[in-house]
Amino acid sequence: MKLENRVIIVTGGTSGIGLELVKSLSQRNEVIVLGRNASLLNELKEKYSVIPYQVDLSDMAQVEWAASEILETHPKIDVLINNAAVQYTPAFTSDDFAYHTISDEITTNFTSICSLTYLLLPALKQARESAIVNVNSGLALAPKTSSAVYCATKSALNAFSLSLRYQLEGSNIKVMQAMMPLVQTKMTDGRGQGKLTPISAANALLNGVENGVLDNDIGKVRLLRWLIRLVPSVAFNMMKRA
């Protein structure tokens, strides 16, 4: 799929990988950006001529509102990139763990993606060829010790993506995943080494979409998947300590 003259939705497009996607895609496409920060969305609108929607993806009423508003002006959508995610690192056993983050994390990282996909499916069906691109993580394949809910949402997203792909076989819609390694974003500040830059992550994602790669293992995720196949105990122990 050539990413030119398309209508493309990017969630979480005000920072990190999402921002780099917006910068690249807005040069040749009509880009709709969903994000929480109104001032950052306005900056994107002025600088890149995108169409902004302020929406908190942990609030299903706002998710439904955004989908309805988009469909009113865009009955045809070519690409939906589900990029937004949040991650809370405290363990359940930690005094820092906040109970309310469970529902926030699940809704933002998983439920909102299922809902946006369903609600926007009629518009995706109107394109000659279209794609749903779910930005996932190597943690979907093997979890780490911290961020148990985050790891679970990514694992659920992997299962959802595969099942939805089966459902849409033979249709005009491809269901793709970009399996990300550790990327240098606000979410990962102070954690890990050897992180991929957001621009490299975004470029790898876009290259995968244009080349029709359904499960795009980016960076160190390629090694992780290989280890899981050959020596799973090594892979899971490695990720446990990540």
Side-chain angles (χ1 to χ4, degrees):
M1 172 186 285
K2 194 70 174 173
L3 295 175
E4 291 184 0
N5 302 313
R6 305 280 187 178
V7 176
I8 301 174
I9 298 174
V10 179
T11 70
T14 58
S15 64
I17 298 170
L19 177 58
E20 296 301 332
L21 290 171
V22 169
K23 289 178 182 178
S24 179
L25 291 169
S26 61
Q27 299 174 30
R28 303 176 303 278
N29 302 278
E30 184 174 5
V31 178
I32 300 168
V33 181
L34 275 60
R36 288 184 295 183
N37 190 306
S39 62
L40 292 178
L41 286 168
N42 287 331
E43 287 179 21
L44 287 180
K45 181 180 179 181
E46 293 298 320
K47 194 169 184 178
Y48 301 106
S49 300
V50 302
I51 302 170
Y53 285 90
Q54 184 182 10
V55 55
D56 182 350
L57 295 177
S58 70
D59 184 332
M60 290 309 300
Q62 292 189 41
V63 171
E64 292 167 6
W65 167 83
S68 176
E69 290 290 310
I70 291 169
L71 289 173
E72 282 192 10
T73 54
H74 293 84
K76 179 180 77 68
I77 295 167
D78 297 288
V79 183
L80 168 62
I81 303 179
N82 290 306
N83 166 72
V86 295
Q87 181 178 167
Y88 300 104
T89 57
F92 274 40
T93 54
S94 170
D95 292 338
D96 294 332
F97 186 83
Y99 176 73
H100 74 272
T101 62
I102 296 174
S103 60
D104 287 351
E105 207 164 7
I106 292 172
T107 305
T108 301
N109 297 359
F110 184 64
T111 311
S112 71
I113 292 175
C114 297
S115 299
L116 274 177
T117 299
Y118 173 76
L119 294 170
L120 297 175
L121 205 57
L124 287 158
K125 288 180 177 178
Q126 295 305 309
R128 185 176 63 83
E129 60 173 346
S130 59
I132 298 163
V133 185
N134 294 327
V135 178
N136 209 326
S137 165
L139 296 172
L141 307 178
K144 61 180 180 177
T145 299
S146 64
S147 307
V149 175
Y150 180 85
C151 294
T153 62
K154 291 305 184 180
S155 180
L157 181 58
N158 181 48
F160 171 72
S161 300
L162 295 176
S163 183
L164 184 64
R165 186 181 299 163
Y166 303 154
Q167 293 179 24
L168 294 173
E169 275 182 346
S171 77
N172 64 309
I173 305 172
K174 289 184 178 178
V175 180
M176 301 176 166
Q177 292 193 93
M179 309 297 283
M180 293 291 173
L182 195 62
V183 179
Q184 179 60 62
T185 65
K186 290 180 180 179
M187 180 191 292
T188 65
D189 277 349
R191 291 192 281 120
Q193 297 179 347
K195 300 174 188 175
L196 196 65
T197 64
I199 191 168
S200 295
N203 288 341
L205 182 154
L206 296 175
N207 183 65
V209 174
E210 292 206 321
N211 286 285
V213 180
L214 295 181
D215 291 309
N216 187 4
D217 292 340
I218 295 170
K220 295 178 181 178
V221 178
R222 291 191 292 271
L223 173 61
L224 175 62
R225 198 184 289 271
W226 179 82
L227 284 173
I228 289 172
R229 288 171 179 163
L230 295 181
V231 278
S233 61
V234 172
F236 280 89
N237 283 328
M238 178 181 72
M239 293 306 295
K240 178 181 178 181
R241 298 190 299 271

